[in-house]
Amino acid sequence: MKKLKINKNLKDNLITYGIIIIAYVIMQIMIKTGHVSSLMQGLLVPLCVYIILAVSLNLTVGILGELSLGHAGFMCVGAFTGAFFSKCMQDIITIDILRFVIAILIGAISAGIIGLLIGMPVLRLKGDYLAIVTLAFGEIIKNIINVLYIGKDSRGLHFSMKDSLSLGLDAEGTVIINGAQGITGTPKNSTFTIGVILIIITLFIVLNLIHSRDGRAIMSIRDNLIAAESIGINITKYKLMAFSISASLAGIAGVLYSHNLSSLMATPKNFGYNMSIMILVFVVLGGIGNIRGSIISAVILTLLPEVLRGLSNYRMLIYSIVLIVMMLFNWSPKLINLREKYSLKRLFKKPKEVQ
Amino acid sequence: MAALLEVKNLGISFGGLRAVDDFQVSINKGQLYGLIGPNGAGKTTVFNLLTGVYKPSEGVITLDSHNITGLKTVEINKAGIARTFQNIRLFKELSVIDNVKAGLHNHFKYSTLEGILRMPSYFKTEKAMNERAMELLKVFELDMEADYLAANLPYGKQRKLEIARALATEPKLLLLDEPAAGMNPNETKELMDTIRFVRDNFDMTILLIEHDMKLVSGICEELTVLNFGRILAQGPTGKVLNDPQVITAYLGE
């Protein structure tokens, strides 16, 4: 019986990895045979970014049970630190993949540290209050980056919060982060393959964390804080752990995102409130706490607007109808019953087992 | 021999309300001790003071000759007090066995990294945890439901699971807050046997709050009666239950 349970988790996880790998292989074959439009190919890396974001936010929302609306802010930290590193090191580390891996690590670590620093005061709050404060911090990160100027010359790095002139660079110095204009000329290292590898790493971290001692502690805090305290679980430590791991995974997504663009700017569209809400929509529609669901809903909701592009004006109408249908499909009690009645599992089972 | 739990002059006020005043008790190792009294007498407040949910305004709590007054809940649990709750507080979305494994948290350790990277210590420790958790579940006849969600257990079993989870933290003193609430006479009788079994087999000291007089008179060796936050009577069960003051205040003529 005990063995059975571990195997069940393992089987569940393997199915999730399997879906990703099969989807990747199918996609690669379709690209090779020329069945994928260039528009669609351009969407593949953002798709990976969104999946990583959805999975990582599910760690905060679904597993820790705290509503965070600042996820795009952590992504922003990862994107800019990663891109900054790559830009600085472009001439020093010439092996693309090595530089990119280091950039990912730097992005993850810096987003994790910011997550930890923000988490310390913020995680004392609960529910709506936490959501509002994380929302504010997300915006603060974006706005700080918008006024940040960093330049490099022979004397080293220069920082300013005013404008690029006040950096006082040498004649041959270059401005790396140029305030609202962001970073331009980041090496385009992100590929679909790297994106998928990062998805699998993210899944590996999140799924293994959930099914470990720490994951149990995190989920026990979600289910009943007072009881968790009474059995000696350190609330602050595990809340911070979940929050900062979630932030650093968002940082990874940010690095992947920034290395897919030639010019990276912190606009409300990519790192603002809308982005955070969109990630939350992926998580909620896929099922809170359901990692595989997050992946599926991220894929559907990212591809849908593009697939429907031909319908021009009706595009957003259909998008919203799909949102509502998915919501009903996942949460309405009637439909849940119906789903169980006609589920594939049941159809494939032998009649004897059904009864 | 010094008592396992020694409480002196314990008190707390909420604003102008004196919830508990001058509470003292001394419980020896292996004792089954009852705390009774009318609703609102401050019984659960005493539990919350003992487990660090509230900080006492005054008084000293000593457990096994360590002063634990004013420590945090987590530290008090580590010092050796575990409890159950009046309104059941299980981890509802976790399986039954995971509830107990959460209780084992501080006794079976591996680092986060070992857990994520699935190092050998992860498998070894998880296996030991599973074994220990199943042992505990067997005691409470919950082993068949190990993979159920805790929320799906029937009420009586949820109460038992809470006790199992508390025992998993390997406490010296177990606090049970109305363990028989909502149980029928048969279940209560079964619970009495379980409580005795826990005391004898786990070498446990138990302090319980209860309204069910059959259970209290059946298993408690000593009692403290609280009324309006003050001690009304204290001593061996038989003597306390026949105290005329207790009869007027709580039991009824």
Side-chain angles (χ1 to χ4, degrees):
Chain A
M1 190 174 211
K2 283 169 281 170
K3 273 238 169 87
L4 204 113
K5 194 174 143 16
I6 290 177
N7 285 342
K8 207 182 114 213
N9 285 340
L10 191 71
K11 207 177 113 193
D12 228 41
N13 294 354
L14 285 180
I15 291 174
T16 313
Y17 295 126
I19 289 175
I20 299 286
I21 292 167
I22 290 169
Y24 171 70
V25 170
I26 291 174
M27 215 55 218
Q28 285 294 12
I29 291 170
M30 282 172 71
I31 291 170
K32 287 270 149 57
T33 53
H35 282 86
V36 184
S37 65
S38 60
L39 187 83
M40 213 52 154
Q41 284 191 35
L43 262 181
L44 290 175
V45 173
L47 190 62
C48 295
V49 172
Y50 292 139
I51 291 175
I52 296 172
L53 286 170
V55 170
S56 64
L57 185 64
N58 212 336
L59 183 61
T60 308
V61 176
I63 309 303
L64 179 64
E66 299 288 7
L67 190 58
S68 162
L69 291 178
H71 217 55
F74 299 125
M75 178 195 175
C76 185
V77 172
F80 274 86
T81 48
F84 177 71
F85 173 80
S86 289
K87 188 94 194 292
C88 285
M89 294 293 161
Q90 209 163 5
D91 305 323
I92 300 166
I93 305 175
T94 46
I95 311 163
D96 278 356
I97 190 75
L98 178 69
R99 190 181 56 225
F100 192 41
V101 168
I102 300 174
I104 288 170
L105 287 176
I106 287 178
I109 291 168
S110 48
I113 290 171
I114 298 288
L116 196 69
L117 290 177
I118 292 177
M120 270 192 262
V122 159
L123 285 172
R124 289 161 195 268
L125 301 169
K126 282 192 193 102
D128 304 350
Y129 304 101
L130 178 68
I132 292 166
V133 177
T134 47
L135 174 72
F137 270 108
E139 294 294 307
I140 290 169
I141 291 173
K142 190 194 78 199
N143 287 327
I144 288 179
I145 288 186
N146 262 328
V147 295
L148 193 65
Y149 294 85
I150 300 179
K152 191 178 80 165
D153 62 11
S154 53
R155 285 171 293 153
L157 290 172
H158 300 263
F159 298 87
S160 166
M161 301 280 267
K162 212 166 135 222
D163 53 40
S164 54
L165 285 176
S166 54
L167 288 171
L169 294 175
D170 288 353
E172 74 275 22
T174 50
V175 182
I176 297 174
I177 298 183
N178 192 9
Q181 266 115 52
I183 301 179
T184 45
T186 317
K188 280 188 84 171
N189 294 132
S190 296
T191 61
F192 182 44
T193 310
I194 292 176
V196 170
I197 292 171
L198 289 177
I199 291 176
I200 289 174
I201 291 174
T202 307
L203 280 175
F204 185 79
I205 293 174
V206 172
L207 291 175
N208 283 359
L209 180 75
I210 294 174
H211 298 296
S212 75
R213 172 176 169 267
D214 301 305
R216 233 171 358 246
I218 293 167
M219 288 189 283
S220 71
I221 294 170
R222 170 196 69 189
D223 281 0
N224 203 311
L225 192 125
I226 293 173
E229 238 176 348
S230 87
I231 57 169
I233 287 172
N234 187 339
I235 307 283
T236 320
K237 176 182 158 190
Y238 285 104
K239 272 189 169 180
L240 278 176
M241 181 192 280
F243 197 71
S244 52
I245 289 178
S246 164
S248 73
L249 292 175
I252 292 180
V255 179
L256 189 64
Y257 178 83
S258 64
H259 287 70
N260 189 41
L261 299 169
S262 48
S263 78
L264 176 70
M265 284 179 283
T267 62
K269 196 167 159 275
N270 56 6
F271 295 127
Y273 168 72
N274 287 337
M275 182 67 158
S276 293
I277 293 289
M278 195 167 78
I279 308 164
L280 188 66
V281 168
F282 296 155
V283 172
V284 172
L285 284 182
I288 291 173
N290 182 345
I291 303 292
R292 204 188 303 157
S294 306
I295 300 173
I296 295 170
S297 72
V299 172
I300 293 177
L301 293 180
T302 313
L303 294 185
L304 202 64
E306 301 305 323
V307 173
L308 296 177
R309 199 169 279 278
L311 299 168
S312 60
N313 286 343
Y314 298 103
R315 190 161 71 112
M316 290 324 277
L317 179 69
I318 294 173
Y319 180 85
S320 52
I321 290 172
V322 169
L323 272 186
I324 294 168
V325 169
M326 273 176 85
M327 200 160 64
L328 289 174
F329 184 75
N330 274 337
W331 296 103
S332 136
K334 273 265 161 58
L335 274 170
I336 289 172
N337 282 341
L338 207 72
R339 227 167 58 201
E340 276 165 5
K341 210 168 158 190
Y342 296 105
S343 77
L344 285 175
K345 242 185 219 163
R346 212 177 132 118
L347 286 176
F348 285 129
K349 263 185 190 166
K350 288 172 202 154
K352 209 170 73 189
E353 277 179 82
V354 173
Q355 274 146 25
Chain B
M1 193 188 87
L4 178 76
L5 180 76
E6 187 82 59
V7 179
K8 281 197 184 112
N9 187 30
L10 192 67
I12 187 169
S13 311
F14 298 114
L17 178 77
R18 194 80 185 136
V20 173
D21 190 26
D22 197 21
F23 180 84
Q24 36 209 343
V25 76
S26 157
I27 302 176
N28 291 324
K29 196 165 164 25
Q31 220 174 2
L32 251 166
Y33 202 103
L35 182 60
I36 61 172
N39 288 327
K43 305 182 294 294
T44 300
T45 309
V46 168
F47 268 29
N48 285 339
L49 287 168
L50 291 180
T51 52
V53 177
Y54 302 143
K55 293 236 173 335
S57 315
E58 67 269 314
V60 181
I61 307 166
T62 326
L63 182 78
D64 214 7
S65 59
H66 294 288
N67 185 356
I68 57 163
T69 323
L71 291 185
K72 286 187 184 140
T73 311
V74 174
E75 290 157 354
I76 287 181
N77 178 266
K78 283 180 184 161
I81 298 184
R83 72 175 292 186
T84 66
F85 297 87
Q86 192 175 352
N87 44 346
I88 303 175
R89 289 177 181 273
L90 286 173
F91 307 133
K92 289 188 174 157
E93 300 295 318
L94 295 187
S95 67
V96 168
I97 192 168
D98 277 350
N99 267 272
V100 179
K101 280 162 88 178
L104 295 169
H105 186 82
N106 287 324
H107 297 280
F108 291 82
K109 289 187 179 171
Y110 52 83
S111 72
T112 313
L113 208 62
E114 283 170 327
I116 289 176
L117 298 178
R118 295 282 145 108
M119 313 260 240
S121 61
Y122 165 83
F123 292 102
K124 216 177 94 194
T125 318
E126 282 288 313
K127 193 164 166 262
M129 276 176 124
N130 275 328
E131 278 163 12
R132 177 84 186 113
M134 284 310 276
E135 263 172 48
L136 277 165
L137 288 178
K138 273 210 184 87
V139 171
F140 294 91
E141 288 160 1
L142 287 164
D143 48 329
M144 296 308 288
E145 286 97 342
D147 287 344
Y148 285 32
L149 278 189
N152 294 345
L153 283 182
Y155 185 80
K157 294 201 167 183
Q158 293 198 4
R159 287 242 171 248
K160 284 183 172 180
L161 179 56
E162 237 196 347
I163 302 176
R165 183 183 67 191
L167 282 177
T169 66
E170 293 176 22
K172 294 169 185 157
L173 175 69
L174 181 63
L175 309 183
L176 304 177
D177 197 343
E178 298 201 23
M183 285 188 174
N184 65 33
N186 277 336
E187 286 174 321
T188 307
K189 205 167 159 293
E190 212 181 293
L191 180 77
M192 284 165 69
D193 295 337
T194 316
I195 293 176
R196 271 203 210 94
F197 181 87
V198 166
R199 195 263 303 261
D200 298 339
N201 281 269
F202 289 85
D203 204 14
M204 194 58 57
T205 313
I206 298 173
L207 170 62
L208 59 87
I209 294 176
E210 191 48 74
H211 281 299
D212 190 320
M213 278 307 127
K214 225 187 245 158
L215 185 139
V216 170
S217 57
I219 60 173
C220 292
E221 289 144 5
E222 275 190 54
L223 287 182
T224 292
V225 187
L226 274 183
N227 197 18
F228 297 116
R230 294 185 137 267
I231 293 175
L232 192 67
Q234 200 161 39
T237 305
K239 208 175 122 201
V240 169
L241 290 182
N242 289 319
D243 188 321
Q245 259 187 308
V246 175
I247 292 172
T248 18
Y250 179 46
L251 299 172
E253 304 287 342

